[in-house]
Amino acid sequence: MEILYSNLGNLTWQQVVMWAIGGLLIYLAIAKDMEPSLLLPMGFGAILVNLPMSGAIDQWVSGQLERGALSVLYDAGIANELFPLILFIGIGAMIDFGPLLNNPKLMIFGAAAQFGIFFTLCLAGMFFDLPDAASIAIIGAADGPTAIVVAQKLQSQYLGAIMVAAYSYMALVPIIQPPVIRLLTTKNERLIRMPYEQKSVSKTTRILFPILTTIVAGVVAPASVSLVGFLMFGNLIRECGVLNSLSETAQKVLANLVTIFLGLTIASQMQAEKFLQPQTLLILGLGLFAFVFDTAGGVLFAKFLNLFLKKKINPMIGAAGISAFPMSGRIVHKMGLKEDPQNFLLMHSIGVNVSGQIASVIAGGLILNFFAK
């Protein structure tokens, strides 16, 4: 009996705290329906890796290394950026660039909403070395796979905290964005209607778009080629019209399977001794700062354009320029309906949202161009 309970002596209060954090993520996933496909495996994984002498992660036993399943998954899928890139194929297959191609001007809002990344980079540089500061700043991309790839390539020592912050704030977008939008806009601005003019987008245009976007992004930010390329390849599968079964598989089976592995694998970096540090709280704070200023950047840019436009833009759509697709676009649409039940902003906000997906990946590539060794 004593042997059965001997491992309790290895339990630390820090591990118990991580159980509570894991439980909180599980609660948010189940009770609040906040990105359950990610937060549920992350929360359960956080408990797995913080059991004393957990066999889920690497352990040294009698001078020999015993590999844990989650550590093996980490080496196989995160250390080489494989999981995030494969997930991008699924995300690309889900995205309909039609609203953006229908109104290409929306692309500028996706770029404007990346302001928080570079503002946060300057702020984080006051507390961390530049590679770590750049890795933290990319949390503001609201794009988990991009955050993982950038932090991994820059060899940030805070990879675990960055991954958790990126995915947690993506799940909390419905809580973070609305107060910022309301603070920066007036009632009259939120009531601005934007009639949607449906234009036919040819199949040729839809096929050429992912190809040309990859080429342009590769020239501007070569380090972004793998990120943009996998995203656009997924979209090409969707739009080519001859691979419908693969498109369905990428959107559902592939994306869901990789998301489960990704969530569990992220948790392998949530070991108490690595995660419960003062720097982790600072990283979480800076990540929130980046999200807020990304949202603010998009809204304020739209308000600035309205100073010169005769046909006014509802500035709320600028907030959809972050990469949290399709959550951010839907939030803006719901806020518009709440102000005016006849104000349909969905197509505009989704167009901005998909442009933010592209812009965030290019921003990640630019960060890598500047700071990769």
Side-chain angles (χ1 to χ4, degrees), residues 153-206:
K153 284 187 177 292
L154 294 182
Q155 300 177 0
S156 174
Q157 59 182 311
Y158 304 109
L159 179 61
I162 290 168
M163 290 190 295
V164 172
Y167 279 107
S168 297
Y169 286 139
M170 280 177 62
L172 294 173
V173 159
I175 295 175
I176 296 171
Q177 282 203 305
V180 178
I181 295 171
R182 282 193 290 266
L183 180 65
L184 295 175
T185 57
T186 65
K187 174 78 171 179
N188 288 336
E189 287 175 328
R190 295 194 293 272
L191 287 171
I192 293 175
R193 292 189 178 186
M194 296 178 65
Y196 183 71
E197 299 175 8
Q198 181 67 46
K199 302 175 184 176
S200 64
V201 179
S202 69
K203 182 177 178 179
T204 301
T205 301
R206 288 177 176 271

Side-chain angles (χ1 to χ4, degrees), residues 263-318:
L264 285 170
T265 309
I266 288 171
S268 71
Q269 302 301 300
M270 294 177 67
Q271 299 166 47
E273 62 271 18
K274 295 180 180 178
F275 196 81
L276 293 181
Q277 300 178 12
Q279 294 94 330
T280 299
L281 291 177
L282 182 56
I283 289 169
L284 292 173
L286 288 168
L288 177 60
F289 183 86
F291 262 68
V292 169
F293 273 83
D294 273 349
T295 301
V299 173
L300 293 175
F301 182 71
K303 288 168 69 78
F304 174 74
L305 289 182
N306 276 345
L307 297 175
F308 309 98
L309 297 175
K310 292 181 179 179
K311 195 174 183 180
K312 303 300 182 184
I313 298 169
N314 190 313
M316 290 196 297
I317 70 167

Side-chain angles (χ1 to χ4, degrees), residues 209-286:
F209 180 75
I211 298 172
L212 295 177
T213 298
T214 303
I215 294 172
V216 172
V219 172
V220 174
S224 71
V225 167
S226 59
L227 289 166
V228 175
F230 276 65
L231 180 72
M232 291 300 156
F233 175 65
N235 188 250
L236 185 59
I237 291 175
R238 172 196 178 100
E239 300 296 353
C240 70
V242 295
L243 295 173
N244 292 333
S245 60
L246 285 184
S247 177
E248 287 288 320
T249 300
Q251 293 180 49
K252 297 176 181 177
V253 178
L254 180 65
N256 290 334
L257 183 61
V258 175
T259 299
I260 291 173
F261 284 144
L262 190 62
L264 285 170
T265 309
I266 288 171
S268 71
Q269 302 301 300
M270 294 177 67
Q271 299 166 47
E273 62 271 18
K274 295 180 180 178
F275 196 81
L276 293 181
Q277 300 178 12
Q279 294 94 330
T280 299
L281 291 177
L282 182 56
I283 289 169
L284 292 173
L286 288 168

Side-chain angles (χ1 to χ4, degrees), residues 10-22 46-47 49-52 270-277:
N10 297 318
L11 182 64
T12 65
W13 67 266
Q14 290 95 336
Q15 289 173 326
V16 175
V17 171
M18 292 305 298
W19 294 354
I21 293 174
I47 296 173
V49 303
N50 285 289
L51 294 168
M270 294 177 67
Q271 299 166 47
E273 62 271 18
K274 295 180 180 178
F275 196 81
L276 293 181
Q277 300 178 12

Side-chain angles (χ1 to χ4, degrees), residues 117-129:
I117 295 174
F118 300 98
F119 197 82
T120 303
L121 172 60
C122 299
L123 184 61
M126 299 170 60
F127 306 98
F128 299 93
D129 293 337

Side-chain angles (χ1 to χ4, degrees), residues 99-156:
L100 178 61
L101 295 173
N102 193 52
N103 187 5
K105 293 181 290 186
L106 297 177
M107 182 67 79
I108 60 175
F109 294 106
Q114 309 310 310
F115 168 77
I117 295 174
F118 300 98
F119 197 82
T120 303
L121 172 60
C122 299
L123 184 61
M126 299 170 60
F127 306 98
F128 299 93
D129 293 337
L130 273 179
D132 289 322
S135 302
I136 293 165
I138 207 64
I139 294 172
D143 186 342
T146 299
I148 292 173
V149 170
V150 170
Q152 188 68 42
K153 284 187 177 292
L154 294 182
Q155 300 177 0
S156 174

